[in-house]
Amino acid sequence: MATHAGRAPLVALRSPHSSASASSSSSRAAPRQAVRGASTFSIGTSSSTSPCTSRGAKRAGVVRASADASAGATLAPLTPEVVDAIALCNRRIEVVGTDLYKVTQEVTEAVSVMVASKSLEGGSMEAVLGASDGVWEVFHAPHMARMSSPLGVSFKPVRYVIKGNQLRTDVHFSGPGGVGGWLCSAGVVRASRDDAVEIVFDSFWMAEEGGAPRDNPVSADVARAGDRVVNSIGRLAFLSSLAVFPVHFFDSDAGICVFEFPPLNSYIATKLVGPVPADITF
């Protein structure tokens, strides 16, 4: 999710992508087809965005289960409608990156199609988390855009790094008068039930504008007085009752996961943009 000042940016990370023939009937035959490509991703304030070199990637025989299906139940490969929805989102990401303020109605409708499919690769939260290691960026979060835009504040990129059950978030914010920086947190993510994950944050810190987010000063035991204040406020403000998120769609080939923020009935769509940086701390 983040590198550090003075370190080389992470590059050449993948961004799944649809070929021009994704909507044709030939590309819809089972087994399903997902398309991946290579993109350039830079750790910093900009969202990942770069033209992709597409290449087809078929994967047959993938076990898929619905979130509301009984344990062990398998479903057919992704429907043509879901394949098209994935392709639309990936094409849009190639153009604007993972900028959640540039979401179109078509992207929102595509996310709704994925949500309605209730398609979870592997069929359980343990399986989903087991295939989730990497850097993810939010490209669709209606509640964030709706609430922050009138205030002249933006949050982008919104990044998650998952490694095993470890989780770190780095969110860049900017506001009027050139105010900006990074809001960061770290903790664990774990299965809450068959269709949801629970997040527990235990460290909170900030980084100034002008570069990449810094390491967790709490875990590194280099926290300054200001860091300790921020961490204390974050821990007090964290509400575990709001930290359970139903997961409605996950597909590792597409590199897309969609989960829900129930209090605002908002569907948050994320894109896998690269592997876990070797030097990251949680």
Side-chain angles (χ1 to χ4, degrees), residues 147-155 172-181 209:
M147 296 172 69
S148 63
S149 293
L151 302 176
V153 177
S154 65
F155 297 96
H172 182 265
F173 71 94
S174 59
V179 175
E209 182 71 289

PDB file of all heavy atoms in Angstrom, residues 147-155 172-181 209:
ATOM      1  N   MET A 147     -20.537  12.753   0.787  1.00  0.00           N
ATOM      2  CA  MET A 147     -20.394  13.513   2.019  1.00  0.00           C
ATOM      3  C   MET A 147     -19.225  14.492   1.994  1.00  0.00           C
ATOM      4  O   MET A 147     -19.268  15.531   2.646  1.00  0.00           O
ATOM      5  CB  MET A 147     -20.234  12.541   3.200  1.00  0.00           C
ATOM      6  CG  MET A 147     -21.460  11.666   3.431  1.00  0.00           C
ATOM      7  SD  MET A 147     -21.189  10.361   4.662  1.00  0.00           S
ATOM      8  CE  MET A 147     -21.040  11.363   6.155  1.00  0.00           C
ATOM      9  N   SER A 148     -18.175  14.178   1.244  1.00  0.00           N
ATOM     10  CA  SER A 148     -16.983  15.029   1.275  1.00  0.00           C
ATOM     11  C   SER A 148     -16.981  16.120   0.209  1.00  0.00           C
ATOM     12  O   SER A 148     -16.451  17.216   0.438  1.00  0.00           O
ATOM     13  CB  SER A 148     -15.722  14.173   1.122  1.00  0.00           C
ATOM     14  OG  SER A 148     -15.695  13.515  -0.135  1.00  0.00           O
ATOM     15  N   SER A 149     -17.572  15.861  -0.940  1.00  0.00           N
ATOM     16  CA  SER A 149     -17.524  16.819  -2.044  1.00  0.00           C
ATOM     17  C   SER A 149     -18.086  18.195  -1.690  1.00  0.00           C
ATOM     18  O   SER A 149     -17.475  19.228  -2.009  1.00  0.00           O
ATOM     19  CB  SER A 149     -18.245  16.256  -3.270  1.00  0.00           C
ATOM     20  OG  SER A 149     -17.560  15.150  -3.791  1.00  0.00           O
ATOM     21  N   PRO A 150     -19.247  18.279  -1.030  1.00  0.00           N
ATOM     22  CA  PRO A 150     -19.780  19.611  -0.691  1.00  0.00           C
ATOM     23  C   PRO A 150     -18.872  20.417   0.224  1.00  0.00           C
ATOM     24  O   PRO A 150     -18.967  21.645   0.271  1.00  0.00           O
ATOM     25  CB  PRO A 150     -21.110  19.282   0.008  1.00  0.00           C
ATOM     26  CG  PRO A 150     -21.487  17.944  -0.506  1.00  0.00           C
ATOM     27  CD  PRO A 150     -20.191  17.216  -0.659  1.00  0.00           C
ATOM     28  N   LEU A 151     -17.989  19.747   0.949  1.00  0.00           N
ATOM     29  CA  LEU A 151     -17.074  20.426   1.865  1.00  0.00           C
ATOM     30  C   LEU A 151     -15.761  20.809   1.207  1.00  0.00           C
ATOM     31  O   LEU A 151     -14.886  21.408   1.844  1.00  0.00           O
ATOM     32  CB  LEU A 151     -16.796  19.521   3.075  1.00  0.00           C
ATOM     33  CG  LEU A 151     -18.026  19.075   3.876  1.00  0.00           C
ATOM     34  CD1 LEU A 151     -17.594  18.103   4.977  1.00  0.00           C
ATOM     35  CD2 LEU A 151     -18.754  20.278   4.464  1.00  0.00           C
ATOM     36  N   GLY A 152     -15.607  20.437  -0.067  1.00  0.00           N
ATOM     37  CA  GLY A 152     -14.364  20.726  -0.753  1.00  0.00           C
ATOM     38  C   GLY A 152     -13.223  19.830  -0.309  1.00  0.00           C
ATOM     39  O   GLY A 152     -12.048  20.168  -0.474  1.00  0.00           O
ATOM     40  N   VAL A 153     -13.564  18.678   0.255  1.00  0.00           N
ATOM     41  CA  VAL A 153     -12.568  17.728   0.745  1.00  0.00           C
ATOM     42  C   VAL A 153     -12.609  16.485  -0.131  1.00  0.00           C
ATOM     43  O   VAL A 153     -13.673  16.061  -0.582  1.00  0.00           O
ATOM     44  CB  VAL A 153     -12.846  17.346   2.214  1.00  0.00           C
ATOM     45  CG1 VAL A 153     -11.855  16.293   2.697  1.00  0.00           C
ATOM     46  CG2 VAL A 153     -12.810  18.576   3.095  1.00  0.00           C
ATOM     47  N   SER A 154     -11.452  15.902  -0.384  1.00  0.00           N
ATOM     48  CA  SER A 154     -11.419  14.661  -1.148  1.00  0.00           C
ATOM     49  C   SER A 154     -10.530  13.642  -0.445  1.00  0.00           C
ATOM     50  O   SER A 154      -9.588  14.003   0.262  1.00  0.00           O
ATOM     51  CB  SER A 154     -10.893  14.904  -2.570  1.00  0.00           C
ATOM     52  OG  SER A 154      -9.534  15.322  -2.551  1.00  0.00           O
ATOM     53  N   PHE A 155     -10.878  12.388  -0.645  1.00  0.00           N
ATOM     54  CA  PHE A 155     -10.108  11.278  -0.099  1.00  0.00           C
ATOM     55  C   PHE A 155      -9.714  10.378  -1.263  1.00  0.00           C
ATOM     56  O   PHE A 155     -10.537   9.617  -1.769  1.00  0.00           O
ATOM     57  CB  PHE A 155     -10.928  10.506   0.929  1.00  0.00           C
ATOM     58  CG  PHE A 155     -11.312  11.317   2.139  1.00  0.00           C
ATOM     59  CD1 PHE A 155     -12.551  11.933   2.203  1.00  0.00           C
ATOM     60  CD2 PHE A 155     -10.435  11.482   3.193  1.00  0.00           C
ATOM     61  CE1 PHE A 155     -12.913  12.689   3.305  1.00  0.00           C
ATOM     62  CE2 PHE A 155     -10.786  12.238   4.305  1.00  0.00           C
ATOM     63  CZ  PHE A 155     -12.019  12.846   4.362  1.00  0.00           C
ATOM     64  N   HIS A 172      -5.241   9.257   1.534  1.00  0.00           N
ATOM     65  CA  HIS A 172      -4.774  10.625   1.312  1.00  0.00           C
ATOM     66  C   HIS A 172      -5.973  11.566   1.290  1.00  0.00           C
ATOM     67  O   HIS A 172      -6.992  11.290   0.660  1.00  0.00           O
ATOM     68  CB  HIS A 172      -4.019  10.740  -0.008  1.00  0.00           C
ATOM     69  CG  HIS A 172      -3.481  12.118  -0.248  1.00  0.00           C
ATOM     70  ND1 HIS A 172      -4.151  13.063  -0.988  1.00  0.00           N
ATOM     71  CD2 HIS A 172      -2.343  12.726   0.195  1.00  0.00           C
ATOM     72  CE1 HIS A 172      -3.453  14.188  -1.016  1.00  0.00           C
ATOM     73  NE2 HIS A 172      -2.352  14.006  -0.307  1.00  0.00           N
ATOM     74  N   PHE A 173      -5.857  12.678   2.011  1.00  0.00           N
ATOM     75  CA  PHE A 173      -6.937  13.667   2.023  1.00  0.00           C
ATOM     76  C   PHE A 173      -6.398  15.023   1.614  1.00  0.00           C
ATOM     77  O   PHE A 173      -5.229  15.343   1.814  1.00  0.00           O
ATOM     78  CB  PHE A 173      -7.580  13.762   3.412  1.00  0.00           C
ATOM     79  CG  PHE A 173      -6.710  14.418   4.465  1.00  0.00           C
ATOM     80  CD1 PHE A 173      -6.805  15.774   4.735  1.00  0.00           C
ATOM     81  CD2 PHE A 173      -5.797  13.658   5.186  1.00  0.00           C
ATOM     82  CE1 PHE A 173      -6.001  16.379   5.700  1.00  0.00           C
ATOM     83  CE2 PHE A 173      -4.978  14.254   6.157  1.00  0.00           C
ATOM     84  CZ  PHE A 173      -5.092  15.613   6.412  1.00  0.00           C
ATOM     85  N   SER A 174      -7.253  15.813   1.007  1.00  0.00           N
ATOM     86  CA  SER A 174      -6.908  17.187   0.654  1.00  0.00           C
ATOM     87  C   SER A 174      -8.146  18.040   0.830  1.00  0.00           C
ATOM     88  O   SER A 174      -9.277  17.577   0.665  1.00  0.00           O
ATOM     89  CB  SER A 174      -6.392  17.278  -0.788  1.00  0.00           C
ATOM     90  OG  SER A 174      -7.362  16.806  -1.704  1.00  0.00           O
ATOM     91  N   GLY A 175      -7.927  19.303   1.204  1.00  0.00           N
ATOM     92  CA  GLY A 175      -9.043  20.186   1.455  1.00  0.00           C
ATOM     93  C   GLY A 175      -8.728  21.612   1.083  1.00  0.00           C
ATOM     94  O   GLY A 175      -7.670  21.907   0.513  1.00  0.00           O
ATOM     95  N   PRO A 176      -9.621  22.534   1.396  1.00  0.00           N
ATOM     96  CA  PRO A 176      -9.419  23.950   1.061  1.00  0.00           C
ATOM     97  C   PRO A 176      -8.146  24.500   1.687  1.00  0.00           C
ATOM     98  O   PRO A 176      -7.719  24.081   2.767  1.00  0.00           O
ATOM     99  CB  PRO A 176     -10.662  24.622   1.665  1.00  0.00           C
ATOM    100  CG  PRO A 176     -11.678  23.526   1.766  1.00  0.00           C
ATOM    101  CD  PRO A 176     -10.903  22.286   2.073  1.00  0.00           C
ATOM    102  N   GLY A 177      -7.539  25.432   0.976  1.00  0.00           N
ATOM    103  CA  GLY A 177      -6.349  26.085   1.510  1.00  0.00           C
ATOM    104  C   GLY A 177      -5.095  25.249   1.461  1.00  0.00           C
ATOM    105  O   GLY A 177      -4.107  25.555   2.144  1.00  0.00           O
ATOM    106  N   GLY A 178      -5.113  24.199   0.664  1.00  0.00           N
ATOM    107  CA  GLY A 178      -3.926  23.369   0.541  1.00  0.00           C
ATOM    108  C   GLY A 178      -3.694  22.406   1.684  1.00  0.00           C
ATOM    109  O   GLY A 178      -2.629  21.797   1.787  1.00  0.00           O
ATOM    110  N   VAL A 179      -4.688  22.265   2.542  1.00  0.00           N
ATOM    111  CA  VAL A 179      -4.568  21.311   3.647  1.00  0.00           C
ATOM    112  C   VAL A 179      -4.606  19.895   3.089  1.00  0.00           C
ATOM    113  O   VAL A 179      -5.404  19.576   2.213  1.00  0.00           O
ATOM    114  CB  VAL A 179      -5.713  21.503   4.659  1.00  0.00           C
ATOM    115  CG1 VAL A 179      -5.660  20.439   5.738  1.00  0.00           C
ATOM    116  CG2 VAL A 179      -5.646  22.893   5.273  1.00  0.00           C
ATOM    117  N   GLY A 180      -3.726  19.050   3.587  1.00  0.00           N
ATOM    118  CA  GLY A 180      -3.710  17.675   3.104  1.00  0.00           C
ATOM    119  C   GLY A 180      -2.760  16.814   3.895  1.00  0.00           C
ATOM    120  O   GLY A 180      -2.020  17.296   4.759  1.00  0.00           O
ATOM    121  N   GLY A 181      -2.779  15.544   3.600  1.00  0.00           N
ATOM    122  CA  GLY A 181      -1.897  14.601   4.277  1.00  0.00           C
ATOM    123  C   GLY A 181      -2.448  13.195   4.170  1.00  0.00           C
ATOM    124  O   GLY A 181      -3.281  12.895   3.306  1.00  0.00           O
ATOM    125  N   GLU A 209       1.534  16.138   4.176  1.00  0.00           N
ATOM    126  CA  GLU A 209       1.434  16.235   2.732  1.00  0.00           C
ATOM    127  C   GLU A 209       2.827  16.271   2.120  1.00  0.00           C
ATOM    128  O   GLU A 209       3.796  16.659   2.755  1.00  0.00           O
ATOM    129  CB  GLU A 209       0.667  17.518   2.369  1.00  0.00           C
ATOM    130  CG  GLU A 209       0.442  17.732   0.886  1.00  0.00           C
ATOM    131  CD  GLU A 209      -0.576  16.759   0.311  1.00  0.00           C
ATOM    132  OE1 GLU A 209      -0.221  15.571   0.209  1.00  0.00           O
ATOM    133  OE2 GLU A 209      -1.685  17.192  -0.042  1.00  0.00           O
TER     134      GLU A 209
END
